[in-house]
Amino acid sequence: MTNRRQFISKLTAPFLAMPVLSELAFPSCANPYEGPVLKVALMGLGGYASRVADAMQACKKARITGLISGTPEKLTSWQQKYNVSAKNCYNYENFDAIKNNPEIDAVYILTPNALHHPQALRVAAVGKHVICEKPMALNARQGKEMVDACKKAGKQLLVGYRMHFEANTVDIIQKRINGNFGKILFFQGLSGFRIGNPSQWRLNKELAGGGAMMDIGIYSVNGARYMVGEDPVWVTAQETKTNSTLFKEGVDETIQFQLGFPGGAVASCLSTYNMNNLDRFFLNGEKGFTELYPASGYGPIKGRTHQGELNHPHVAHQTTQMDEMAAILLENKKPLVPVDGIEGWKDLVIIDAIYKAAATGKKEPIMY
């Protein structure tokens, strides 16, 4: 994990200056957007950050105006690729200087899980909005501290729940709200894949905070909540580990968990790093059913109900997410499903309870 130690170490290498462009390039459109634009700094320039950055090129309400990384070479190449001014680029030692930079409204934290909490506290302290990738933190205690810090600073904390804005998912949620499925009885969530590179940070307990549950199982945790429309009140869980070399102590391979909801619905879910062909949500009610398969991948998402197929066109999830988050931060828009810090904290409360239930073998209450 030498590269990750370097990733979080204090780096002060100078950056190569790039010409400052008067404006960023946007895709042409018949009706150019003329409203407020959210100016975003991306923190942590890894693989997922690249996906976010590419998708943001199609955004109308959000654009990349800053970069934060521990790797000077990445800052240089990303400046060129995304037309970011060198004066808006920082490392992990000096990024507190964004406090005095009016060209940055919010910081999107895309670093390994263990870094979300301390970095979010620093961003809030210098008066910028925080957008944080999921899981928001390593546990509910850290999540609550992040919520409190942003509240104290008078800034918003949003979590990268891209599925809350995906068209097929939103359609199903609206149908459930409208009563199309009747009283909700059962949810099934299957989230997992066979993980590759054994040296990646996702298999490091110190950086990831766990294993599959923190990375992919959280989709079924969060999905159970927005599909059923309630927060669960109890959980039972069982952990299976077939490869203790790859999945070391504290890094879960496979966890099956069951949730109970106040309205009487139950959920049966699977989180794993050792099976492919999953990524499926199923919701059953007294009047009908719905299914998403794939349910949370990068797309296209496919959905159907007892009334037929859903055929919403695919748009890069991160494009929609960032435009919608810009509307939340700049226009006080209220999303159908929240993406705020409390939403992220609730998932962490549930995950804490899942780990506890897997360890004790008992039915554990979920206390928010």
Side-chain angles (χ1 to χ4, degrees), residues 122-349:
R122 286 176 64 185
V123 172
V126 297
K128 304 296 181 178
H129 296 299
V130 177
I131 304 172
C132 185
E133 224 358 84
K134 58 82 192 161
M136 187 174 79
L138 298 186
N139 52 55
R141 176 189 58 79
Q142 286 188 352
K144 184 61 164 55
E145 290 175 358
M146 292 165 65
V147 170
D148 291 345
C150 289
K151 183 177 180 180
K152 180 180 179 181
K155 295 298 173 181
Q156 293 199 52
L157 169 59
L158 305 181
V159 185
Y161 289 120
R162 56 189 168 82
M163 305 313 300
H164 292 201
F165 308 110
E166 193 278 322
N168 295 282
T169 304
V170 170
D171 189 356
I172 286 174
I173 294 169
Q174 191 63 64
K175 282 179 166 58
R176 187 257 301 157
I177 293 171
N178 293 342
N180 290 41
F181 311 121
K183 178 180 172 61
I184 301 302
L185 305 173
F186 174 73
F187 171 78
Q188 181 187 51
L190 306 178
S191 299
F193 59 90
R194 188 179 293 274
I195 199 164
N197 179 8
S199 65
Q200 63 183 283
W201 68 264
R202 289 176 179 82
L203 294 173
N204 181 307
K205 173 67 162 60
E206 183 179 351
L207 286 171
M213 180 60 63
M214 300 296 285
D215 180 38
I216 190 70
I218 192 172
Y219 284 107
S220 280
V221 171
N222 190 250
R225 295 176 54 226
Y226 62 68
M227 294 288 277
V228 173
E230 296 180 341
D231 294 328
V233 293
W234 60 258
V235 61
T236 54
Q238 308 80 38
E239 181 175 3
T240 302
K241 186 171 291 190
T242 64
N243 187 339
S244 58
T245 301
L246 183 61
F247 304 103
K248 297 179 172 59
E249 181 68 25
V251 179
D252 50 286
E253 173 188 328
T254 300
I255 294 180
Q256 299 173 77
F257 60 98
Q258 302 78 41
L259 302 169
F261 295 83
V266 292
S268 177
C269 302
L270 174 69
S271 165
T272 185
Y273 265 162
N274 201 27
M275 301 179 212
N276 290 325
N277 308 309
L278 296 175
D279 193 15
R280 184 191 300 263
F281 288 174
F282 176 81
L283 185 73
N284 195 35
E286 288 182 336
K287 294 182 180 179
F289 72 90
T290 185
E291 181 181 42
L292 287 167
Y293 180 62
S296 61
Y298 295 136
I301 300 300
K302 300 294 184 181
R304 68 186 180 106
T305 77
H306 59 285
Q307 297 174 318
E309 301 289 327
L310 301 179
N311 294 300
H312 296 282
H314 173 66
V315 177
H317 299 166
Q318 297 80 9
T319 302
T320 306
Q321 172 196 327
M322 294 309 295
D323 268 343
E324 290 294 323
M325 286 186 166
I328 291 169
L329 294 175
L330 299 176
E331 303 165 17
N332 199 32
K333 183 176 180 179
K334 303 299 181 185
L336 183 65
V337 182
V339 291
D340 57 20
I342 295 297
E343 180 81 359
W345 170 75
K346 286 182 177 180
D347 280 349
L348 293 170
V349 171

Side-chain angles (χ1 to χ4, degrees), residues 28-32:
S28 61
C29 56
N31 298 301

